[in-house]
């Protein structure tokens, strides 16, 4: 038998006949067990990995998949005899094929051997040929699949570079120029790849092109990252220019050896995150890769420093990449466990703050939410004991992220923002000073104090201009659109059309900012709020992407289409709004739909929740849009509920 996962998940009999693995879930179970590398995966873990929202019969379905896989993998096994390949152990399952029978295991073993014996690196071509596409290519993009793909892709790139280095050092490597040219084009941030390409060109007698390659690398690094090339590239350029006899360095001097360490990588990622756009997207990817690399070293202190170094301020309560955020949280929790309660206080505080910040309110439920809130409190307490301003600012960011436990907490968040301003301003922490201003802008917006909110927005913009933070004007443009919308409902104010245009202009800027967790669904929600301010029905444009807010908008959209029965069904099936920036808005939409459809029970429930926020404005805690005063929706819902009695 042979199992392949470096591409689509497949299995083969010894004679080359394909093994019919069944449907996508069967292949996913097999792939997940391959990824465990001989370790037991519990039934609960498998269920969580296979389903985002496990159905009632998930465990039974999993057992069915396992039974079918056993029949496929061991067709000649006698009835009622235990499987020797897919084994039940305790509360879970493990896969026990020979390592040589699984392509990913052969690849990893060959790479490990090349690391121990550099002379074997040139032989990596055979296992690199096992790759038929991305690992687990035909499986859904679930959390575990994404983590494995990221980990294995990093190993593949390292293997490509290790093999090229070995071939060049040994005097071989004919044809490497084309291979390395494609490698650099696909992965331009990898400095070792540029050095290898330059060496290959020089070996091919193309000295001028080798120098041009190094100069292109320098230009890219300086202009796009603000970094000078590392010592390996600088030394290689000098050696090519001078015709140094030792042009082919060996051992530790080799161009493939110097690599950005995990700590350096994550610090660079933190810097890039503040630039927004593609740099922000890339920074999240690089950060997770650095965390994974640090964990693989087995050095718990290094891992803790790498995880805690990414103290990028977080202003929104919905993650841009929930799977990546969960992976970081899991790594932080593992590292906290390994450090123990007596580990260095600063490392523990930063790890706890990471858990609090990455466990965004909209994406975390149940015990995980309780864990995140406890982490925020513990991080704050440790940071105050330490007296380290940077650690305290990071911890307070976590307190802010976990401050959406119920409606009506704008004043509490304003206090967090005010406290952020003091240490950030005194101790040159501009990113957190900006965060404090934005938090206070949101809080004043929630209370309807547009003058105070505008003052904080302007202060944030001044700081952004001084410290090159291009994301800030994107956020404050939304705040100004929110102001225009509120004033469009006042006598003599701007028109509703001008408010809609302001929202759309702000949305165009946000679209390229690299923050999908904030962007998706925000414009439709803002336009719906604008229509409610003017007593108009919900927008029905089918091109609007409501994103995560569709369930709460659907009843009003269906009503606007004269589909009352469907609207009533949608209203009765509404889930609890997540505890995030827009929870007041979603409860207000629930209240408005309950009143319109004469559902007094739901109206009473909405009124009970909204009562805590009666002095705030629905949606305005975002600082980006408004549905008007909560009091209006509370009064309507209360009247509907009393009509029931």
């Amino acid at each position: 038998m042979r199992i392949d996962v470096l591409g689509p998940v497949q299995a083969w009999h010894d004679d080359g006949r394909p093994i019919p693995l069944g449907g996508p879930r069967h292949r996913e179970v097999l792939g997940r067990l391959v990824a465990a590398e001989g370790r037991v995966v519990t039934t609960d873990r498998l269920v969580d990995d296979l389903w985002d929202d496990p159905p009632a019969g998930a465990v039974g379905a999993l057992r069915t998949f396992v039974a079918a896989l056993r029949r496929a993998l061991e067709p000649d096994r006698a009835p009622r005899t235990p499987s020797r390949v897919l084994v039940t152990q305790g509360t879970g399952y493990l896969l026990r094929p020979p390592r040589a029978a699984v392509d990913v295991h052969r690849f990893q073993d060959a790479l490990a051997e090349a690391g121990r014996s550099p002379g074997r690196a040139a032989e990596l071509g055979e296992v690199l040929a096992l790759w038929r596409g991305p690992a687990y290519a035909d499986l859904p993009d679930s959390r575990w699949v994404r983590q494995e793909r990221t980990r294995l892709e990093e190993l593949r790139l390292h293997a490509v570079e290790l093999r090229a280095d070995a071939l060049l050092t040994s005097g071989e490597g004919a044809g490497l120029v084309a291979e390395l040219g494609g490698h650099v084009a696909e992965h331009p941030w990898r400095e070792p790849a540029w050095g290898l390409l330059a060496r290959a060109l020089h070996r091919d007698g193309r000295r001028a092109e080798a120098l041009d390659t190094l100069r292109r690398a320098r230009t890219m690094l300086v202009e796009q990252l603000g970094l000078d090339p590392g010592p390996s590239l600088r030394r290689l350029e000098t050696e090519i220019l001078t015709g140094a006899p030792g042009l082919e360095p060996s051992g530790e001097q080799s161009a493939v050896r110097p690599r950005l360490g995990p700590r350096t990588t994550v610090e660079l990622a933190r810097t890039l995150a503040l630039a927004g756009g593609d740099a922000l997207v890339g920074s999240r990817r690089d950060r997770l890769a650095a965390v994974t690399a640090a964990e693989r070293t087995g050095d718990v202190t290094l891992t803790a420093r790498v995880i805690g170094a990414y103290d990028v301020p977080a202003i929104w309560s919905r993650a841009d990449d929930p799977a990546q955020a969960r992976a970081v949280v899991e790594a932080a929790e593992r590292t906290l466990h390994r450090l123990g309660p007596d580990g260095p206080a600063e490392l523990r505080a930063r790890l706890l703050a990471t858990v609090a910040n990455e466990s965004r309110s909209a994406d975390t439920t149940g015990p995980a939410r309780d864990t995140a809130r406890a982490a925020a409190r513990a991080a704050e307490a440790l940071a105050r004991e330490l007296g380290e301003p940077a650690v305290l600012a990071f911890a307070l960011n976590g307190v802010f992220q976990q401050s959406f436990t119920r409606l009506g907490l704008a004043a509490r968040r304003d206090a967090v923002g005010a406290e952020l301003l003091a240490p950030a301003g005194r101790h040159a922490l501009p990113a957190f000073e900006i965060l404090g201003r934005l938090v206070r802008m949101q809080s004043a917006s929630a209370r309807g104090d547009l003058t105070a909110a505008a003052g904080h927005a302007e202060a944030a913009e001044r700081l952004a201009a001084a410290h090159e933070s291009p994301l800030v004007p994107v956020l404050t443009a939304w705040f100004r659109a929110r102001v225009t919308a509120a004033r469009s409902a006042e006598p003599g104010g701007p028109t509703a059309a001008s408010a809609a245009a302001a929202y759309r202009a702000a949305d165009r800027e946000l679209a390229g900012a690299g923050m999908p967790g904030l962007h998706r669904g925000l414009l439709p929600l803002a336009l719906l709020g604008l229509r409610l301010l003017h007593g108009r029905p919900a927008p029905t444009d089918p091109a609007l992407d409501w994103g995560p807010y569709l369930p709460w908008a659907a009843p009003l959209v269906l009503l606007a289409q004269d589909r009352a029965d469907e609207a009533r069904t949608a209203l009765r099936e509404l889930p609890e709004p997540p505890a995030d920036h827009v929870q007041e808005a979603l409860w207000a939409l629930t209240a408005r739909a309950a009143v319109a459809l004469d559902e007094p029970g739901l109206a009473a429930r909405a009124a009970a929740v909204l009562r805590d926020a009666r002095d705030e404005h629905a949606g305005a805690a975002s600082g980006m849009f408004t549905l008007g005063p909560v009091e209006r929706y509370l009064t309507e819902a209360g009247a509907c509920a009393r009509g029931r009695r």
Side-chain angles (χ1 to χ4, degrees):
M1 181 184 62
R2 191 178 88 236
I3 299 173
D4 295 340
V5 299
L6 298 178
V9 176
Q10 299 173 339
W12 313 84
H13 290 292
D14 287 341
D15 59 8
R17 289 179 296 114
I19 296 175
L21 295 177
R25 291 294 192 197
H26 298 77
R27 293 195 301 278
E28 191 170 0
V29 171
L30 181 62
R32 180 64 183 85
L33 294 174
V34 167
E37 296 199 57
R39 296 185 297 274
V40 174
V41 184
T42 65
T43 298
D44 288 346
R45 179 75 267 170
L46 281 167
V47 167
D48 287 343
D49 285 342
L50 262 64
W51 288 279
D52 290 334
D53 185 13
V59 173
L62 173 62
R63 289 172 179 156
T64 300
F65 301 149
V66 169
L69 281 170
R70 282 172 170 160
R71 288 193 296 272
L73 296 173
E74 296 181 273
D76 299 326
R77 181 170 55 90
R80 293 183 295 279
T81 59
S83 172
R84 292 173 300 165
V85 177
L86 205 171
V87 180
T88 299
Q89 191 169 104
T91 61
Y93 304 99
L94 72 156
L95 198 65
R96 280 182 173 167
R99 283 189 69 82
V102 183
D103 62 352
V104 69
H105 297 164
R106 294 204 305 280
F107 167 72
Q108 291 182 107
D109 290 349
L111 183 56
E113 178 62 25
R116 290 190 296 268
S117 306
R120 303 289 301 275
E123 302 171 13
L124 288 172
E126 181 179 346
V127 289
L128 282 167
L130 297 173
W131 287 75
R132 298 163 291 114
Y136 306 97
D138 57 340
L139 299 190
D141 197 29
S142 56
R143 177 185 56 82
W144 79 264
V145 173
R146 189 176 303 178
Q147 286 179 327
E148 275 299 287
R149 282 180 186 151
T150 299
R151 183 181 73 85
L152 292 171
E153 177 63 9
E154 176 63 26
L155 292 179
R156 186 187 71 81
L157 297 177
H158 181 51
V160 168
E161 293 165 3
L162 200 61
R163 171 179 170 269
D165 177 63
L167 290 170
L168 288 167
T169 300
S170 67
E172 301 177 27
L176 275 178
V177 169
E179 179 182 328
L180 290 169
H183 181 64
V184 164
E186 190 174 356
H187 306 285
W189 307 115
R190 298 178 73 89
E191 284 192 50
W194 288 97
L196 288 165
L197 177 57
R199 287 173 62 196
L201 285 163
H202 187 270
R203 172 65 58 83
D204 209 29
R206 298 154 69 176
R207 182 166 174 262
E209 291 176 72
L211 290 169
D212 180 63
T213 293
L214 294 172
R215 286 163 185 159
R216 283 192 292 122
R218 178 189 297 277
T219 299
M220 183 207 65
L221 291 167
V222 171
E223 292 185 354
Q224 298 191 35
L225 299 181
L227 297 174
D228 289 324
S232 176
L233 290 188
R234 295 197 302 271
R235 182 173 58 247
L236 180 58
E237 183 174 22
T238 299
E239 289 172 344
I240 292 175
L241 282 168
T242 61
L247 184 57
E248 295 299 332
S250 60
E252 291 303 313
Q253 291 183 319
S254 172
V256 78
R257 305 296 181 203
R259 304 175 61 83
L260 287 176
R263 178 72 185 270
T264 305
T265 299
V266 85
E267 288 171 345
L268 173 59
R270 176 183 60 186
T271 302
L272 291 176
L274 300 175
D278 291 341
L280 174 56
V281 175
S283 80
R284 289 194 293 265
R285 180 193 62 235
D286 294 344
R287 174 214 193 171
L288 184 56
V291 170
T292 303
E295 279 202 288
R296 285 203 299 268
T297 69
D299 185 333
V300 65
T301 300
L302 171 66
T303 303
R305 291 188 183 283
V306 166
I307 294 172
Y310 193 89
D311 53 357
V312 176
I315 189 64
W316 194 245
S317 51
R318 185 178 292 276
D320 295 311
D321 187 339
Q324 186 262 7
R326 285 194 297 272
V328 170
V329 168
E330 289 169 2
E333 290 175 338
R334 287 192 297 270
T335 307
L336 274 166
H337 179 72
R338 291 181 63 202
L339 275 178
D342 298 324
E346 180 176 345
L347 294 183
R348 290 175 53 232
R350 285 185 171 276
L351 289 169
L352 288 162
T354 298
V355 171
N357 276 296
E358 296 297 334
S359 302
R360 304 297 172 88
S361 305
D363 308 303
T364 308
T365 58
R369 179 179 293 173
D370 296 335
T371 298
R373 290 171 181 165
R377 292 192 295 270
E380 181 187 11
L382 275 173
R384 292 192 189 283
E385 289 177 15
L386 285 165
E388 289 286 343
V391 180
L392 178 59
F394 190 26
L396 287 173
N397 196 168
V399 171
F400 166 73
Q401 284 293 339
Q402 299 303 321
S403 66
F404 298 90
T405 52
R406 60 176 176 81
L407 277 64
L409 295 179
R412 181 181 299 179
R413 288 192 287 276
D414 188 59
V416 173
E419 187 172 5
L420 271 168
L421 290 177
R426 285 197 305 268
H427 299 280
L429 302 170
F432 284 102
E433 189 174 3
I434 290 170
L435 175 67
R437 288 296 181 185
L438 293 176
V439 168
R440 299 204 70 186
M441 178 194 79
Q442 291 178 342
S443 303
S445 169
R447 299 194 306 275
D449 187 347
L450 297 184
T451 301
H456 291 302
E458 290 164 5
E461 288 169 338
R462 287 194 297 271
L463 286 165
H467 298 284
E468 298 182 354
S469 297
L471 291 178
V472 172
V474 175
L475 303 177
T476 54
W478 271 95
F479 166 70
R480 291 191 169 82
R482 171 260 188 273
V483 173
T484 303
R487 289 179 175 159
S488 72
E490 300 171 356
T495 65
S498 63
Y503 276 140
R504 292 185 184 279
D507 183 71
R508 286 192 292 273
E509 294 299 316
L510 181 57
M515 296 186 287
L518 172 58
H519 178 246
R520 190 161 182 242
L522 185 61
L523 177 63
L525 203 57
L527 295 176
L528 172 55
L530 181 61
R531 283 175 168 262
L532 293 177
L533 287 174
H534 289 269
R536 299 178 61 195
T540 57
D541 182 353
L544 288 175
D545 177 9
W546 291 93
Y549 311 119
L550 178 60
W552 295 275
L556 293 175
V557 172
L558 290 166
L559 274 173
Q561 297 170 330
D562 295 324
R563 297 157 65 185
D565 289 343
E566 293 172 72
R568 194 178 307 279
T569 299
L571 176 63
R572 290 173 177 173
E573 293 177 351
L574 273 185
E576 186 94 356
D580 64 2
H581 272 89
V582 300
Q583 58 185 328
E584 287 91 351
L586 302 184
W587 277 111
L589 295 180
T590 303
R592 174 57 61 89
V595 170
L597 291 163
D598 193 23
E599 291 281 349
L602 285 171
R605 182 176 171 222
V609 178
L610 285 169
R611 199 163 289 119
D612 286 339
R614 69 184 314 146
D615 296 326
E616 296 183 10
H617 288 238
S622 66
M624 305 181 84
F625 73 97
T626 182
L627 277 63
V630 168
E631 180 68 36
R632 178 188 307 165
Y633 299 91
L634 180 59
T635 300
E636 292 176 355
C640 179
R642 286 190 295 275
R644 176 187 57 179
R645 295 192 293 270

